[in-house]
Amino acid sequence: MKHEIDLAKYKIRTDLMSEMLDQEKVSGYTREQVEEEGIIIETITLTEEAAAKIHKKAGFYQTLSFTDVTDKKNYQALERVLEKYFHLFLDREKISSKANCLVVGLGNHESTPDALGPLTSEKITVTRHLFSLGLDVDPKYRSVASFSPGVFGTTGIETKEILEGLVEKIKPDFLIVIDALAASSIERVNHTIQLTNTGIHPGSGIGNNRKEISKETLHIPVLAIGVPTVVDAVTIVSNTFQYMIKHFSYEKENKDKPSFKFKSFGPRNYQEQADHLNKEEKEKMLGLLGTLSPLETKQFIREVLTPIGYNLMVTPKEIDFVIEKLSHLLSSVLNKTLHSL
Amino acid sequence: MKHEIDLAKYKIRTDLMSEMLDQEKVSGYTREQVEEEGIIIETITLTEEAAAKIHKKAGFYQTLSFTDVTDKKNYQALERVLEKYFHLFLDREKISSKANCLVVGLGNHESTPDALGPLTSEKITVTRHLFSLGLDVDPKYRSVASFSPGVFGTTGIETKEILEGLVEKIKPDFLIVIDALAASSIERVNHTIQLTNTGIHPGSGIGNNRKEISKETLHIPVLAIGVPTVVDAVTIVSNTFQYMIKHFSYEKENKDKPSFKFKSFGPRNYQEQADHLNKEEKEKMLGLLGTLSPLETKQFIREVLTPIGYNLMVTPKEIDFVIEKLSHLLSSVLNKTLHSL
Amino acid sequence: MKHEIDLAKYKIRTDLMSEMLDQEKVSGYTREQVEEEGIIIETITLTEEAAAKIHKKAGFYQTLSFTDVTDKKNYQALERVLEKYFHLFLDREKISSKANCLVVGLGNHESTPDALGPLTSEKITVTRHLFSLGLDVDPKYRSVASFSPGVFGTTGIETKEILEGLVEKIKPDFLIVIDALAASSIERVNHTIQLTNTGIHPGSGIGNNRKEISKETLHIPVLAIGVPTVVDAVTIVSNTFQYMIKHFSYEKENKDKPSFKFKSFGPRNYQEQADHLNKEEKEKMLGLLGTLSPLETKQFIREVLTPIGYNLMVTPKEIDFVIEKLSHLLSSVLNKTLHSL
Amino acid sequence: MKHEIDLAKYKIRTDLMSEMLDQEKVSGYTREQVEEEGIIIETITLTEEAAAKIHKKAGFYQTLSFTDVTDKKNYQALERVLEKYFHLFLDREKISSKANCLVVGLGNHESTPDALGPLTSEKITVTRHLFSLGLDVDPKYRSVASFSPGVFGTTGIETKEILEGLVEKIKPDFLIVIDALAASSIERVNHTIQLTNTGIHPGSGIGNNRKEISKETLHIPVLAIGVPTVVDAVTIVSNTFQYMIKHFSYEKENKDKPSFKFKSFGPRNYQEQADHLNKEEKEKMLGLLGTLSPLETKQFIREVLTPIGYNLMVTPKEIDFVIEKLSHLLSSVLNKTLHSL
């Protein structure tokens, strides 16, 4: 009953570079991590060579990882840190303080986990009309327009077509694109913001393959802000396997310590948990499954769930409250950094 | 204390041709009226000459007038009648059954009385993406795309600029544009649908002057569907003056009939009420106001209310329920007539 | 054509005591006015005697009048002033800092101009469940529950019945009731907050006559917060008549001043404008209408509009944005004053 | 590394009796299954004895299982079948056609997966107010009221307290309670409706333990309609294990058939798939995990995920569209069956 897995058969559902690099073995990138106010900021620059191997685009990727954004203190810390890093991002991309901006909110405002883009773009302080009416605008403000193109399924039009037409008409100096993404780990969902200069593929995270929105296709810088709000069942199961291995490792390592029995059901953090199990132990625990690599595990689970229709894309049940907070956060930070408020 | 009114000072707030012609004295148009299932259908064709005089566009204007659309029976009758007249409208404009359509919902989905366009466009059955993916589409369907450009105040972009870009990109054969309008009579609000081949001026009804969306500017037929959902205080007051005159006329005409005292407070219909008051009677009742023409009355009221900031644009308090029904009605009729359902 | 008006025939649609007293000639009340941060605070205490005459309840009525609440600076000033006066109101009513509170949001969350109550009550920081679970709650917090009973038309149940049942069950020490009201002047709509210790009559402002929610019926203090969000056509027309008279008075008084021609269309404020017209002048301008008292004018307009079905209840077209701000304002002030935040 | 599982430690998260009986080994119930228009109707009657063993209530449980409700044909079939079975349910419970009904929509209208109750209750045709106003009501209608009590976390009040007060006040003859539930299998989510005469435990499915709403506590029949809209990560993982075993069984059984290679990735249905693996094969595939019972598997996964905070409650990403359809379905069926429409 040997199980050969064709790795090419299914694509990996993630829009986060940080997750891609955790899963794939490539070289040709730099990766740094710092922590500020409890938020982990990871910065990746990917070379053309490495990018080619994993079918992604070379460039700058930065993720901010945080805990519950519906908590007021977390929210405030995240707002401060994101404001700082978004400023640095604009500087890094050499966006001048006078450059005209078009903010684009991708996604479907009628579908809660996909509504982050539209809800953010609605709250942007637009000023382009003041400039175009020839008014004398306070120099703190730059020219900003904001727009939600809707989704392919309800407009019948590719997002890229709409944006190409609009960019030709109003000629912004750069684009900021906001989108909800798919995560490929449970812990990322609603807990990560990714900034990248490589643009975005609308719908790429959820199995579609719309055309790319990037500097290559629109000929102006495209700064993308993405937040994973959905995850598929394959990821949930696959993550759980890794946690099982960490669970056994933790118990093996700690079971003789006197404190163990008291800790048994308190909160645990496996972030730093090393894998102390040898191959035999894993096989004993998890059989053939224990011998698969994380990527192989995922492929196999996909092979089981897909034909029976249960590889659902899901979102945490609190999604309404999270999307509301995240859209306030992103619009507030964009308003402060695009204008000098 | 003679009061000279400069007629040019204020423009008249109405987007309904039928109302314009009630208020202005021009020649050079045809005007017909029929009734079906309790709905009044008025059809106007305006010559270039007449159009020039009232600063409107020559062409075809048709209004359907109906009572409460939240009543199930009224709704169903209106749906049948509108379907018939929209079909005739497409035929009249020589739109072939295979012509590609772009439906455009103008307005702000966050503002209830202005949300008719976006809410309708979201419910359109789009098929353009099926054709563009090369799928074998049932011949009952034509290629339809649907789009909401948002409003100038929240995007910072002229609607016309967005549509020009989009029309150049996706090259539809014709446009259907849906918008909420301003009425210039109380009885029109939420009770009239206007069809016209002259396009639309986004925001024109509410005091702004955005650029025209029409065949002249977009180079393809633009069929506009408008529903007045707001009315200004000037109109309410001015209408009331006319009703006062009709009220006195009615009482003068009827007060000696034995039945009069029983009818005093039942529902009255002044649609056919002639004006039996002579100049002296009007002046006695209403003073100098009684000597003004309807248009002069309106101008005068505007002169009183505008400087003190009370010429409010208002909407009936039941607007949420009305907009929901109207958006269902329009999308249902468009889906049935654009496709052969 | 003498026109005798039966004053009893129509009731006056207003829930604001300040407006009642402007319209009715009664004695037996105190009335004071102060201004803070641009907000006018008017405080009325009505004796039983005066109350009986105008069919209202004796007690304390306070209105805060302000300009556009969607303006950030106005909003912040109003929040400070309302917080101060709501604190004073709680003190005046001898509500102890430990008294258990039930906040009740009246109205229909599906109808924008009627959604103020439900939207406010949803944003209240509730703590009753923490106390009832026996948790050790920070002494800054009192026990607060919050509830929206819905409206008679969609529940089929009188609000008073629902509240009686609930008050018997959970035994709060006092109630705070929030409701949208009808105004009887244009300038009040969305620009006034009324605080009163006399409770509320759900729907009374809009022509219904639901049962009273007050200390008399529920046997605990009932503090009501009301904001007029709708106004009827009669009021708009009647107000405009008064403005016409002020307009003529202003012109009569100013027309010979050299500055007059330059001011003609700038913003005017008639707040302080005295009525300089004598009876003959009014009659010349407005005919018989000019000879009616404000109350008679209103009754007459009602007599004209009601039988033909055009005495609409309307709300300004910006209502969505106003209700959002007002519900944030009220919930924020209640959270700060009920708890010691 | 023996892993002893304390079965009492975690409770099983399901509100569906059909799922309980799949997981637990009890006797003392009848269980029947029929199919109509593609919908599976399963009927369970549970004796007191069996109920006691699984900590549930004795009584009648019926589930209707269906596929995608956003598909128009499925929706229409389901509406017909549910109407029939809800009629039979009313008959079975001996609810007379004149009995007064109170419909209660449990849940939080601000949280999409929890909004089914409130959204359904808002669309109920209420008539109680017509009867209570003494109007002459068409005999097709019974007296129906409809109400949404909100949720404990935002009201601070137990749902049961609110309902007790209300039932005492308005004295309905019976209650219909609608709630969103937690499922304990992936395939149930958004695909099952449960009818039961045993009432409901608000929040029981999602880890809370509010007080029971039932005939025992409210002293009138309580008919509950529940739809599972959320599922936890433990269930997703545990279900996947069972599918893995079925996957291997299927492959073992079919791999030598010539057709096998063609079917490999088409849709599969494991509903009828027997488990052909012996203990050794399972252990080889899945290690110790392969030797656990379904219930033990679940307990173990919970033990892994709970301490690290990843036992998320999730909902499919299309939840907005599903909830809209389901609330239309339930309200439509209730309106037709409660009244004789």
Side-chain angles (χ1 to χ4, degrees):
Chain A
M1 207 187 287
K2 179 167 173 296
H3 199 84
E4 286 174 38
I5 292 172
D6 173 3
L7 291 176
K9 220 155 43 192
Y10 302 98
K11 69 171 184 162
I12 298 167
R13 294 190 182 191
T14 183
D15 299 317
L16 292 177
M17 180 51 58
S18 176
E19 292 187 346
M20 287 291 295
L21 296 180
D22 289 345
Q23 292 170 19
E24 308 255 5
K25 284 198 174 59
V26 284
S27 59
Y29 59 87
T30 65
R31 192 169 183 177
E32 277 169 53
Q33 191 171 304
V34 295
E35 186 264 323
E36 284 186 42
E37 300 203 44
I39 293 148
I40 310 292
I41 302 100
E42 187 174 34
T43 310
I44 294 167
T45 51
L46 196 66
T47 63
E48 293 289 350
E49 188 201 345
K53 274 190 203 143
I54 57 173
H55 307 289
K56 287 278 169 179
K57 292 174 67 82
F60 172 85
Y61 295 87
Q62 189 166 59
T63 50
L64 286 76
S65 302
F66 46 88
T67 53
D68 181 16
V69 77
T70 67
D71 174 88
K72 200 174 174 180
K73 277 196 181 163
N74 289 346
Y75 178 94
Q76 290 169 339
L78 182 56
E79 190 171 12
R80 283 187 296 269
V81 173
L82 182 61
E83 191 182 334
K84 170 179 168 185
Y85 281 90
F86 198 75
H87 251 311
L88 291 172
F89 186 31
L90 291 174
D91 290 347
R92 190 193 182 284
E93 300 303 313
K94 301 189 171 39
I95 305 296
S96 101
S97 69
K98 290 295 154 206
N100 296 342
C101 179
L102 172 61
V103 176
V104 177
L106 299 180
N108 186 347
H109 77 95
E110 294 186 281
S111 176
T112 309
D114 198 25
L116 180 64
L119 289 177
T120 302
S121 92
E122 281 171 9
K123 290 190 263 281
I124 295 299
T125 303
V126 297
T127 51
R128 180 180 175 275
H129 56 322
L130 307 178
F131 287 94
S132 73
L133 293 170
L135 299 179
D136 191 22
V137 184
D138 185 328
K140 287 187 303 189
Y141 294 90
R142 75 166 81 216
S143 170
V144 173
S146 184
F147 182 72
S148 283
V151 289
F152 192 53
T154 62
T155 63
I157 316 170
E158 294 281 3
T159 298
K160 192 188 149 224
E161 291 178 290
I162 297 175
L163 292 184
E164 279 176 341
L166 189 58
V167 165
E168 282 167 27
K169 268 290 149 195
I170 75 169
K171 301 196 191 315
D173 295 320
F174 71 110
L175 240 63
I176 293 176
V177 182
I178 301 137
D179 201 7
L181 310 177
S184 68
S185 80
I186 306 180
E187 63 234 72
R188 292 285 189 184
V189 182
N190 295 341
H191 289 102
T192 295
I193 295 170
Q194 176 175 272
L195 311 177
T196 176
N197 64 0
T198 60
I200 220 157
H201 299 228
S204 73
I206 53 168
N208 308 319
N209 205 359
R210 295 285 80 71
K211 285 156 204 158
E212 178 175 313
I213 294 164
S214 69
K215 188 166 189 177
E216 281 68 38
T217 60
L218 294 173
H219 314 298
I220 51 173
V222 176
L223 279 48
I225 305 176
V227 180
T229 63
V230 294
V231 67
D232 64 4
V234 164
T235 298
I236 293 173
V237 180
S238 154
N239 285 182
T240 304
F241 273 112
Q242 312 314 318
Y243 296 133
M244 284 179 181
I245 290 169
K246 291 189 166 192
H247 177 87
F248 290 132
S249 286
Y250 178 87
E251 302 219 331
K252 181 182 175 188
E253 190 177 359
N254 290 283
K255 66 172 188 263
D256 298 325
K257 297 183 185 164
S259 65
F260 181 64
K261 62 182 165 184
F262 301 112
K263 282 191 183 169
S264 188
F265 293 103
R268 288 183 185 179
N269 189 333
Y270 288 158
Q271 213 79 343
E272 307 292 316
Q273 178 62 47
D275 179 353
H276 297 291
L277 302 187
N278 58 36
K279 192 169 174 302
E280 283 67 37
E281 284 170 322
K282 282 184 192 166
E283 207 168 337
K284 188 178 167 205
M285 289 308 308
L286 296 168
L288 280 177
L289 278 179
T291 67
L292 299 180
S293 76
L295 191 56
E296 286 171 324
T297 306
K298 236 173 181 178
Q299 304 291 37
F300 170 62
I301 300 166
R302 182 164 287 117
E303 200 166 316
V304 171
L305 290 180
T306 302
I308 55 174
Y310 293 142
N311 187 17
L312 301 181
M313 268 280 170
V314 298
T315 189
K317 77 176 174 51
E318 301 78 10
I319 188 67
D320 297 78
F321 309 109
V322 172
I323 291 289
E324 199 205 328
K325 286 292 174 196
L326 284 172
S327 67
H328 270 97
L329 174 81
L330 295 183
S331 57
S332 166
V333 167
L334 287 177
N335 286 332
K336 283 183 196 167
T337 50
L338 290 176
H339 307 302
S340 304
L341 301 181
Chain B
M1 209 188 286
K2 181 166 173 295
H3 199 85
E4 287 174 39
I5 292 172
D6 173 4
L7 292 176
K9 222 156 38 193
Y10 303 98
K11 66 171 189 162
I12 298 167
R13 293 189 183 192
T14 183
D15 299 317
L16 292 177
M17 181 50 59
S18 177
E19 293 187 345
M20 288 291 294
L21 296 179
D22 288 346
Q23 291 170 19
E24 309 256 6
K25 286 201 173 60
V26 284
S27 59
Y29 61 87
T30 66
R31 192 169 182 176
E32 277 170 52
Q33 192 172 303
V34 296
E35 186 264 322
E36 283 186 42
E37 300 203 45
I39 292 148
I40 311 292
I41 301 100
E42 187 174 32
T43 310
I44 294 167
T45 51
L46 195 67
T47 62
E48 293 288 351
E49 188 201 346
K53 273 190 205 144
I54 57 173
H55 307 290
K56 287 277 170 179
K57 293 174 65 86
F60 172 85
Y61 295 86
Q62 189 167 58
T63 51
L64 286 78
S65 301
F66 46 88
T67 53
D68 180 16
V69 77
T70 67
D71 174 88
K72 199 174 174 179
K73 277 197 180 162
N74 289 347
Y75 178 94
Q76 290 169 339
L78 181 56
E79 189 172 13
R80 283 187 297 269
V81 173
L82 182 60
E83 190 181 334
K84 171 179 166 184
Y85 280 90
F86 198 76
H87 251 310
L88 291 171
F89 186 31
L90 290 175
D91 289 348
R92 190 193 181 286
E93 300 303 315
K94 301 190 170 40
I95 306 295
S96 101
S97 69
K98 289 296 155 208
N100 295 343
C101 179
L102 172 61
V103 176
V104 177
L106 298 180
N108 186 347
H109 77 96
E110 294 186 281
S111 176
T112 310
D114 198 25
L116 180 64
L119 288 177
T120 302
S121 91
E122 280 171 10
K123 290 190 262 284
I124 296 299
T125 304
V126 297
T127 50
R128 180 181 175 273
H129 56 322
L130 307 178
F131 287 95
S132 73
L133 293 170
L135 298 179
D136 191 21
V137 184
D138 185 327
K140 288 188 302 189
Y141 293 91
R142 77 165 80 215
S143 169
V144 173
S146 184
F147 182 72
S148 283
V151 289
F152 191 52
T154 61
T155 63
I157 316 171
E158 294 282 1
T159 298
K160 193 189 149 226
E161 290 178 288
I162 298 175
L163 293 183
E164 279 176 340
L166 189 58
V167 164
E168 282 166 28
K169 269 289 150 196
I170 75 169
K171 301 195 191 315
D173 294 321
F174 71 110
L175 239 62
I176 293 177
V177 181
I178 300 137
D179 201 8
L181 309 176
S184 67
S185 79
I186 306 180
E187 64 234 72
R188 293 286 189 184
V189 183
N190 295 340
H191 289 102
T192 294
I193 295 169
Q194 176 174 271
L195 310 177
T196 177
N197 64 0
T198 60
I200 219 156
H201 300 227
S204 75
I206 53 168
N208 308 319
N209 205 359
R210 293 286 79 71
K211 283 158 206 159
E212 179 175 312
I213 293 164
S214 70
K215 188 167 188 177
E216 282 67 39
T217 59
L218 295 173
H219 314 297
I220 51 173
V222 175
L223 279 50
I225 305 176
V227 180
T229 63
V230 293
V231 67
D232 65 3
V234 165
T235 297
I236 293 173
V237 180
S238 154
N239 285 183
T240 304
F241 274 112
Q242 313 313 318
Y243 296 133
M244 284 180 181
I245 290 169
K246 291 189 166 191
H247 177 87
F248 290 132
S249 286
Y250 178 88
E251 301 219 330
K252 181 181 174 188
E253 190 177 358
N254 291 283
K255 66 173 189 261
D256 299 326
K257 297 183 183 162
S259 65
F260 180 64
K261 62 183 163 185
F262 302 112
K263 281 192 182 167
S264 189
F265 294 103
R268 289 182 183 177
N269 188 333
Y270 288 157
Q271 213 80 343
E272 308 292 317
Q273 179 62 46
D275 178 353
H276 296 291
L277 302 187
N278 58 36
K279 193 169 172 303
E280 285 67 37
E281 286 169 320
K282 282 183 192 165
E283 207 168 337
K284 188 179 166 202
M285 289 307 309
L286 296 168
L288 281 176
L289 279 180
T291 67
L292 300 178
S293 76
L295 191 56
E296 287 171 324
T297 307
K298 236 173 183 179
Q299 305 291 36
F300 171 63
I301 301 165
R302 183 165 288 117
E303 199 166 316
V304 171
L305 290 180
T306 303
I308 55 174
Y310 294 142
N311 188 18
L312 301 180
M313 270 280 171
V314 298
T315 189
K317 77 177 174 53
E318 301 77 10
I319 188 67
D320 297 77
F321 309 109
V322 172
I323 291 289
E324 199 205 327
K325 285 293 174 197
L326 285 172
S327 66
H328 270 97
L329 175 81
L330 295 183
S331 56
S332 165
V333 166
L334 287 177
N335 286 332
K336 283 184 195 166
T337 50
L338 290 177
H339 307 302
S340 305
L341 301 181
Chain C
M1 207 187 286
K2 181 168 173 292
H3 199 85
E4 287 173 39
I5 292 171
D6 173 3
L7 292 175
K9 223 156 38 194
Y10 302 98
K11 67 171 187 162
I12 298 167
R13 294 190 182 192
T14 183
D15 299 317
L16 293 177
M17 181 50 58
S18 177
E19 293 187 345
M20 287 291 294
L21 296 180
D22 289 345
Q23 292 170 19
E24 309 256 5
K25 287 199 172 62
V26 283
S27 58
Y29 60 86
T30 65
R31 192 169 183 178
E32 277 169 53
Q33 191 172 302
V34 296
E35 185 265 323
E36 284 186 41
E37 301 203 43
I39 293 148
I40 310 293
I41 301 101
E42 187 174 33
T43 309
I44 294 166
T45 52
L46 195 67
T47 62
E48 292 289 351
E49 189 201 343
K53 274 191 203 141
I54 56 174
H55 306 290
K56 287 280 169 176
K57 293 174 67 84
F60 172 84
Y61 295 86
Q62 190 167 58
T63 50
L64 285 77
S65 302
F66 46 88
T67 52
D68 181 17
V69 76
T70 66
D71 174 89
K72 199 173 176 181
K73 276 196 181 164
N74 289 346
Y75 179 94
Q76 290 169 340
L78 182 55
E79 189 171 15
R80 283 188 297 267
V81 173
L82 182 60
E83 190 181 335
K84 170 180 167 184
Y85 281 89
F86 198 76
H87 251 311
L88 291 171
F89 185 31
L90 290 174
D91 290 347
R92 191 194 180 283
E93 300 303 314
K94 301 190 171 40
I95 306 295
S96 100
S97 68
K98 290 294 154 207
N100 296 342
C101 179
L102 173 61
V103 176
V104 177
L106 298 180
N108 186 347
H109 78 95
E110 295 186 281
S111 177
T112 310
D114 199 23
L116 180 63
L119 289 177
T120 303
S121 92
E122 279 171 10
K123 290 191 263 281
I124 296 298
T125 304
V126 298
T127 50
R128 181 182 175 273
H129 56 321
L130 307 178
F131 287 94
S132 73
L133 293 171
L135 299 180
D136 191 21
V137 184
D138 185 327
K140 287 188 303 188
Y141 294 91
R142 75 168 79 217
S143 169
V144 173
S146 184
F147 182 72
S148 281
V151 289
F152 192 52
T154 61
T155 63
I157 315 171
E158 294 281 2
T159 298
K160 193 188 148 227
E161 291 178 289
I162 298 176
L163 293 183
E164 279 175 341
L166 189 57
V167 165
E168 282 166 27
K169 269 290 150 197
I170 74 169
K171 301 197 191 315
D173 294 320
F174 71 110
L175 239 63
I176 292 176
V177 182
I178 300 137
D179 202 8
L181 310 176
S184 68
S185 80
I186 306 180
E187 64 234 72
R188 293 287 189 183
V189 182
N190 295 341
H191 289 102
T192 295
I193 295 170
Q194 177 175 271
L195 310 177
T196 176
N197 64 1
T198 61
I200 220 158
H201 299 228
S204 75
I206 52 168
N208 308 320
N209 205 359
R210 294 286 79 70
K211 285 155 205 159
E212 177 175 314
I213 293 163
S214 69
K215 186 167 191 179
E216 282 67 39
T217 60
L218 295 173
H219 315 298
I220 51 172
V222 176
L223 279 49
I225 305 176
V227 180
T229 63
V230 294
V231 67
D232 64 4
V234 164
T235 298
I236 292 173
V237 180
S238 155
N239 285 182
T240 304
F241 274 112
Q242 313 313 318
Y243 295 132
M244 283 178 181
I245 290 169
K246 291 189 166 191
H247 176 88
F248 290 131
S249 286
Y250 178 88
E251 302 220 329
K252 182 181 173 187
E253 191 177 356
N254 291 283
K255 67 173 187 258
D256 299 325
K257 296 183 186 163
S259 65
F260 180 64
K261 61 184 166 186
F262 302 113
K263 282 190 183 168
S264 190
F265 294 102
R268 289 181 184 179
N269 188 334
Y270 288 157
Q271 213 80 343
E272 307 293 318
Q273 179 62 48
D275 178 353
H276 296 290
L277 302 187
N278 58 35
K279 193 169 173 302
E280 286 65 38
E281 285 170 321
K282 283 183 191 165
E283 207 168 336
K284 188 179 166 204
M285 290 309 309
L286 296 168
L288 281 177
L289 278 179
T291 67
L292 300 179
S293 76
L295 191 57
E296 287 171 324
T297 306
K298 236 173 182 178
Q299 306 291 36
F300 171 62
I301 300 165
R302 184 165 287 116
E303 200 166 314
V304 171
L305 290 180
T306 302
I308 54 174
Y310 294 142
N311 188 17
L312 301 180
M313 269 280 170
V314 298
T315 190
K317 76 176 173 54
E318 301 78 8
I319 188 66
D320 298 76
F321 309 109
V322 173
I323 291 289
E324 199 205 329
K325 285 293 173 196
L326 284 173
S327 66
H328 270 98
L329 175 81
L330 295 183
S331 57
S332 164
V333 166
L334 288 177
N335 286 332
K336 283 184 195 165
T337 50
L338 289 177
H339 307 302
S340 304
L341 301 181
Chain D
M1 209 188 289
K2 181 167 173 296
H3 198 85
E4 287 174 38
I5 292 173
D6 172 4
L7 290 176
K9 222 156 40 191
Y10 301 99
K11 66 173 189 158
I12 297 167
R13 293 191 183 191
T14 183
D15 298 318
L16 293 176
M17 181 50 58
S18 177
E19 292 187 345
M20 287 291 295
L21 296 179
D22 288 345
Q23 292 170 19
E24 309 256 5
K25 285 200 172 58
V26 284
S27 59
Y29 60 86
T30 66
R31 192 169 182 176
E32 277 170 52
Q33 192 172 303
V34 297
E35 186 265 323
E36 285 186 42
E37 301 203 45
I39 292 147
I40 311 293
I41 302 100
E42 186 174 34
T43 310
I44 294 167
T45 52
L46 196 66
T47 62
E48 293 289 349
E49 188 201 344
K53 273 190 206 145
I54 57 173
H55 307 290
K56 286 280 169 178
K57 292 173 66 83
F60 172 84
Y61 295 87
Q62 189 167 59
T63 51
L64 286 77
S65 301
F66 46 88
T67 52
D68 180 16
V69 77
T70 67
D71 174 87
K72 200 173 174 181
K73 278 196 178 163
N74 288 347
Y75 179 94
Q76 290 169 339
L78 181 56
E79 190 171 13
R80 284 188 296 270
V81 173
L82 182 60
E83 191 181 334
K84 170 178 166 185
Y85 280 89
F86 197 77
H87 250 311
L88 291 171
F89 185 31
L90 290 174
D91 290 348
R92 190 193 181 284
E93 301 303 313
K94 300 190 171 39
I95 306 296
S96 101
S97 68
K98 290 294 154 209
N100 296 342
C101 180
L102 172 61
V103 176
V104 177
L106 299 180
N108 186 348
H109 78 95
E110 294 185 280
S111 176
T112 309
D114 198 24
L116 180 63
L119 289 176
T120 301
S121 93
E122 278 171 11
K123 291 190 262 282
I124 295 300
T125 304
V126 297
T127 51
R128 180 180 176 274
H129 56 322
L130 307 178
F131 286 94
S132 73
L133 293 169
L135 298 179
D136 191 22
V137 184
D138 186 327
K140 287 187 304 190
Y141 293 90
R142 75 166 80 217
S143 169
V144 173
S146 185
F147 182 72
S148 282
V151 288
F152 191 53
T154 61
T155 63
I157 316 171
E158 294 280 3
T159 298
K160 192 189 150 224
E161 291 178 290
I162 298 175
L163 293 183
E164 278 175 342
L166 189 58
V167 165
E168 282 166 27
K169 269 290 150 194
I170 75 169
K171 301 196 190 314
D173 294 321
F174 70 110
L175 240 63
I176 292 176
V177 181
I178 300 137
D179 202 7
L181 309 177
S184 67
S185 79
I186 305 180
E187 64 233 72
R188 292 286 188 183
V189 182
N190 295 340
H191 288 102
T192 294
I193 295 170
Q194 176 174 271
L195 311 177
T196 176
N197 64 0
T198 60
I200 220 157
H201 300 228
S204 74
I206 52 168
N208 308 320
N209 204 0
R210 295 285 79 71
K211 285 157 205 156
E212 178 174 312
I213 294 165
S214 69
K215 189 167 189 177
E216 282 68 38
T217 60
L218 295 172
H219 314 297
I220 51 173
V222 176
L223 279 49
I225 305 176
V227 180
T229 63
V230 292
V231 67
D232 63 4
V234 165
T235 298
I236 293 174
V237 180
S238 155
N239 285 184
T240 303
F241 273 111
Q242 313 313 317
Y243 296 133
M244 284 180 181
I245 290 169
K246 290 188 166 193
H247 177 86
F248 290 131
S249 286
Y250 178 88
E251 302 220 331
K252 181 181 174 187
E253 191 178 358
N254 291 283
K255 65 172 189 259
D256 299 326
K257 297 182 186 163
S259 66
F260 181 63
K261 61 183 164 184
F262 301 113
K263 282 190 181 170
S264 188
F265 294 103
R268 288 181 184 180
N269 188 334
Y270 288 157
Q271 214 80 344
E272 307 292 318
Q273 178 62 46
D275 179 354
H276 297 292
L277 302 188
N278 57 36
K279 193 169 172 303
E280 284 67 35
E281 284 170 321
K282 282 183 193 167
E283 208 169 335
K284 187 179 167 206
M285 290 307 311
L286 296 168
L288 281 176
L289 279 179
T291 66
L292 300 179
S293 77
L295 192 55
E296 287 171 325
T297 306
K298 237 174 182 178
Q299 305 291 36
F300 170 62
I301 300 166
R302 182 164 287 116
E303 199 166 316
V304 170
L305 289 179
T306 302
I308 54 173
Y310 293 142
N311 188 18
L312 301 181
M313 269 280 169
V314 297
T315 190
K317 77 176 174 53
E318 302 77 9
I319 188 68
D320 297 77
F321 309 109
V322 172
I323 291 288
E324 199 205 328
K325 285 294 173 196
L326 285 172
S327 67
H328 270 97
L329 174 82
L330 294 183
S331 57
S332 166
V333 166
L334 287 177
N335 286 332
K336 284 183 193 167
T337 50
L338 290 177
H339 307 302
S340 304
L341 301 181

